[in-house]
Amino acid sequence: MSNPAFKPTEIVGPAPEDKTGVDLRQNMEKQFRHSVNDAIGPQNFHTLSQAGNGLSAGAVQIAQSLGGKGVSVPVLTGLVRLTDILLIVIAAAAAMAGGAESVASWSHGLVTGAAVLFTLAFFQAADVYQVTVMRQGLSQLGRVAAGWTLVFAMLALLRSTTGIGSGLSDTWIGAWFALGLAGFCLSRFVVYSLVRHWMNSGRLERRAIIVGGGTAAAELIHELEAQPDNDIRICGIFDDRNNDRSPPVVAGYPKLGNISDLVEFARLARIDMLIVCIPLRAEQRVLELLKKLWILPVDIRLSAHTDKVRFRNRGASFIGTVPFVDVVEKPIANWDMVGKRIFDLIFASLAIVTLFPLMIAAAIAIKLDSKGPVLFRQKRYGFNNEIIDVLKFRSMYTEMADPDAKQVVTKGDPRVTRVGRFIRKTSIDELPQLFNVLAGSLSLVGPRPHAVNAHTDNTTWDDVVDGYFARHKVKPGVTGWAQINGWRGEVDTQEKIQKRVECDVYYIENWSILLDLKILLLTPFRLLNTENAY
């Protein structure tokens, strides 16, 4: 399926009975290497990338082929565990409802709880919560059936030695076992189908970029591909060195550009991990790279395979037997992301219901005060530097509106209407952003989304603050740590935007649900300070 001229080195795939990984790699070769190589040629990737300020055509094509959100493995396994617990409880209740037992008692609850604990323990021991097992058919069902049988063997042992559950009828226990086994088989078939689909589409892989080329990168790629059940999908190589020092193709993977190109590519392709393949002893070069790359919402790891170092601390991790030094972790990922999203949906819905009369009153006042629409849409930076439309109540005269934020609103600004001054000072103009939260483009709490052309002294803020785009490593918010610490309103000096970004980075590095709740509760009180709100 792949281009013979672009054939990679031998890849060690999964076991013969499971061809998911093989099919996936063949699909990658077809989309990632064959088509791009025919269209552009590996020798031209670096040249094209350097020719302009943007990505090469080949890099853009690869980034677009990698579109789509990935599936979080911790969330997936957590949901499967939760499903197992529900199935146990439902099967026990269904057996009772079917007439296998007349009256529920505390013994039923105690035995059901014990069954839950035994099931989670035996299933964990049987590795049925591993993705590599979830993508197997009969093998997965066999492990589940064996684990469920052991659960009832333990309950029987508990019953004979302690007397717990001795009053329960054998009919109910038998019906519970049968219904539970049927439920597990059905649920595992669904899990199997979903996991196979996600594996084939690449959504259960971790997309990685190799930073740095040459022999070291080739050795790392060979070692990664030799790891059994490897979930790393290498999407390309980026290196600042020229082709003499860093070949345009390494171990079958093309060099797509330099480090500046990498920042843009990582955003387009939704990369999960950057693997910096530079010897740890080259400290200065590593630090220079990290200074450029830390603004991205990805995991950053330093490859330690060439240094032959043994790690025992928390800052080290392994992919198979390949060692890495964990430098930067993706913020608010996996279950943290799920918890934050649930937090947003609950509190945003409550806020909309509570503040809906105020929003209706504001809309009527705006309509009566001046001509034009009630709502105003503005392009702002969202998560990972994506451009989003943020809703606001219109506070300016329609003919003087500034959707591109080319001119900062100042005190006594003639463009602002009478109603506009009031709703801006009280932040009522921001309330429609609660609907952005429900839609998912904003969070309730996070760095405030700044306008795309926001500037101070004719200098855009990303030029004012080094590492400005690091604030976009998480979803922007309606309110944030900067706002409750007094950095709200007009940004007329470089110090103000510097302080905002410092607060935003602090929030990202120290995030928790409790911190979100604290910021949310303090926001109404901090809004009383209207000194810088015009």
Side-chain angles (χ1 to χ4, degrees), residues 20-21 23-28 31 65-73 131 135 193-208 230-235 269-272:
T20 303
D23 294 341
L24 192 54
R25 292 187 185 280
Q26 290 176 343
N27 185 50
M28 181 179 75
Q31 295 183 11
S65 72
L66 295 169
K69 294 182 178 180
V71 176
S72 168
V73 172
V131 173
R135 70 187 189 190
S193 300
L194 289 174
V195 168
R196 296 282 292 195
H197 172 70
W198 289 331
M199 290 293 295
N200 289 330
S201 62
R203 294 185 62 188
L204 267 176
E205 292 178 309
R206 287 181 291 175
R207 299 169 182 172
N230 174 32
D231 67 338
I232 299 295
R233 178 177 187 178
I234 299 172
C235 300
R270 294 185 179 274
I271 294 299
D272 300 304

Side-chain angles (χ1 to χ4, degrees), residues 25-164:
R25 292 187 185 280
Q26 290 176 343
N27 185 50
M28 181 179 75
E29 291 173 21
K30 179 181 178 181
Q31 295 183 11
F32 172 53
R33 298 175 181 169
H34 179 70
S35 61
V36 176
N37 187 50
D38 288 346
I40 298 175
Q43 69 278 3
N44 295 326
F45 269 105
H46 192 64
T47 304
L48 285 172
S49 180
Q50 299 288 358
N53 294 326
L55 293 171
S56 68
V60 171
Q61 182 179 354
I62 292 173
Q64 291 174 343
S65 72
L66 295 169
K69 294 182 178 180
V71 176
S72 168
V73 172
V75 172
L76 171 62
T77 56
L79 289 175
V80 172
R81 284 187 176 91
L82 180 60
T83 302
D84 288 345
I85 294 172
L86 292 175
L87 283 173
I88 295 169
V89 175
I90 292 172
M96 188 173 298
E101 198 81 13
S102 56
V103 180
S105 66
W106 67 270
S107 294
H108 291 89
L110 184 61
V111 170
T112 302
V116 168
L117 295 178
F118 287 140
T119 301
L120 294 179
F122 289 141
F123 281 10
Q124 183 68 36
D127 290 333
V128 297
Y129 296 121
Q130 298 292 328
V131 173
T132 54
V133 174
M134 291 181 190
R135 70 187 189 190
Q136 298 172 9
L138 294 177
S139 175
Q140 179 182 191
L141 292 180
R143 292 172 187 241
V144 168
W148 185 235
T149 302
L150 284 175
V151 168
F152 278 79
M154 287 298 298
L155 291 179
L157 179 63
L158 193 67
R159 186 180 186 184
S160 62
T161 56
T162 66
I164 295 177

Side-chain angles (χ1 to χ4, degrees), residues 223-273:
E223 288 194 39
L224 287 175
E225 290 181 337
Q227 303 305 311
D229 301 319
N230 174 32
D231 67 338
I232 299 295
R233 178 177 187 178
I234 299 172
C235 300
I237 298 171
F238 287 80
D239 197 345
D240 275 338
R241 296 175 296 177
N242 58 35
N243 289 347
D244 294 333
R245 299 182 60 198
S246 177
V249 179
V250 178
Y253 294 88
K255 184 168 64 177
L256 302 180
N258 56 30
I259 304 305
S260 297
D261 299 328
L262 166 58
V263 174
E264 182 62 25
F265 181 88
R267 287 173 176 145
L268 289 176
R270 294 185 179 274
I271 294 299
D272 300 304
M273 181 189 302

Side-chain angles (χ1 to χ4, degrees), residues 488-522:
R488 167 178 172 252
E490 182 184 7
V491 181
D492 53 355
T493 66
Q494 294 188 3
E495 179 191 10
K496 288 183 178 180
I497 184 57
Q498 178 73 46
K499 291 296 183 182
R500 278 195 183 190
V501 174
E502 288 176 4
C503 287
D504 294 337
V505 172
Y506 173 86
Y507 169 80
I508 293 171
E509 294 178 346
N510 295 275
W511 174 85
S512 69
I513 289 291
L514 290 178
L515 181 59
D516 273 5
L517 186 60
K518 175 182 177 180
I519 293 171
L520 203 60
L521 294 176
L522 287 176

